[in-house]
Amino acid sequence: MSEIASPGQLRLSFLRWALITVPLILLLGFASGRVVPAGDESGWYRALAKPALNPPGIVFPIAWSILYVLMGVALAIVLNARGARARSVAVALFAAQLVLNLIWTPLFFGAHQVTWALLDLIALIVLAIATTMAFGRVRRVAAWLMVPYLVWISFAACLTFGIRQLNPDAENLAPTSASTQIQL
């Protein structure tokens, strides 16, 4: 028997997806931020000269938590759109951009590779735009949920570019985690 799902069944299906995607993306984002000392926990980062528009450290975990929730809801909406033609492409693009997102923190804070982190952000922006467009082909609301993320990662690219300009030798500013420093 081939019946169309009721609105209640569709909401329940979306809720099940959201209960998976939102915590998973939050967990992955949190894990990426905890792999290496990040933000104000990083002595290397504290020593960097920062652009004037660099927000206080507390802004970053709040912003990222909100963005990861929005991204998880957007993904749940797309995953719940059974039968949508562009669904698999949209999900693959989302996964690819998420990988670049999660790589940024260890690259910037852990490896102190500001230039590579900036290149990662540029690729991330391109993939996030493609993801947003693909989400829009599946469900327009999912694309709109990605817009704050696009704005934030563009802002992050501006900050990273500013840090790169102000600190041309940033990777040598502080010892890497593999080296030791002894003060006498």
Side-chain angles (χ1 to χ4, degrees):
M1 183 180 332
S2 174
E3 295 182 22
I4 296 176
S6 71
Q9 290 171 319
L10 291 174
R11 280 190 297 276
L12 188 58
S13 176
F14 163 73
L15 184 60
R16 282 191 295 255
W17 278 118
L19 287 173
I20 295 168
T21 59
V22 172
L24 178 63
I25 292 170
L26 276 166
L27 178 66
L28 290 172
F30 176 78
S32 173
R34 300 308 301 165
V35 166
V36 295
D40 292 334
E41 294 176 6
S42 167
W44 172 80
Y45 179 71
R46 285 192 313 268
L48 291 172
K50 294 172 199 69
L53 53 117
N54 198 66
I58 189 65
V59 171
F60 293 98
I62 294 168
W64 277 112
S65 296
I66 292 167
L67 293 169
Y68 285 140
V69 168
L70 292 174
M71 291 167 63
V73 171
L75 180 61
I77 290 168
V78 169
L79 288 170
N80 195 48
R82 293 188 200 139
R85 283 184 174 201
R87 182 180 143 185
S88 59
V89 171
V91 171
L93 285 168
F94 182 88
Q97 69 80 33
L98 184 62
V99 167
L100 290 179
N101 174 306
L102 298 173
I103 288 172
W104 186 88
T105 299
L107 194 58
F108 183 84
F109 289 106
H112 306 164
Q113 295 298 314
V114 179
T115 301
W116 283 106
L118 180 59
L119 293 172
D120 176 77
L121 275 170
I122 292 166
L124 172 58
I125 290 167
V126 170
L127 274 177
I129 290 170
T131 301
T132 302
M133 292 171 61
F135 275 19
R137 289 187 191 104
V138 176
R139 294 287 184 267
R140 185 165 286 162
V141 68
W144 280 109
L145 288 169
M146 293 291 288
V147 170
Y149 175 60
L150 290 172
V151 171
W152 185 258
I153 59 176
S154 297
F155 176 65
C158 291
L159 288 177
T160 304
F161 178 77
I163 288 171
R164 182 176 176 270
Q165 293 300 105
L166 294 170
N167 305 276
D169 198 29
E171 64 276 354
N172 297 319
L173 184 63
T176 63
S177 58
S179 65
T180 353
Q181 181 176 0
I182 301 172
Q183 293 183 356
L184 300 175

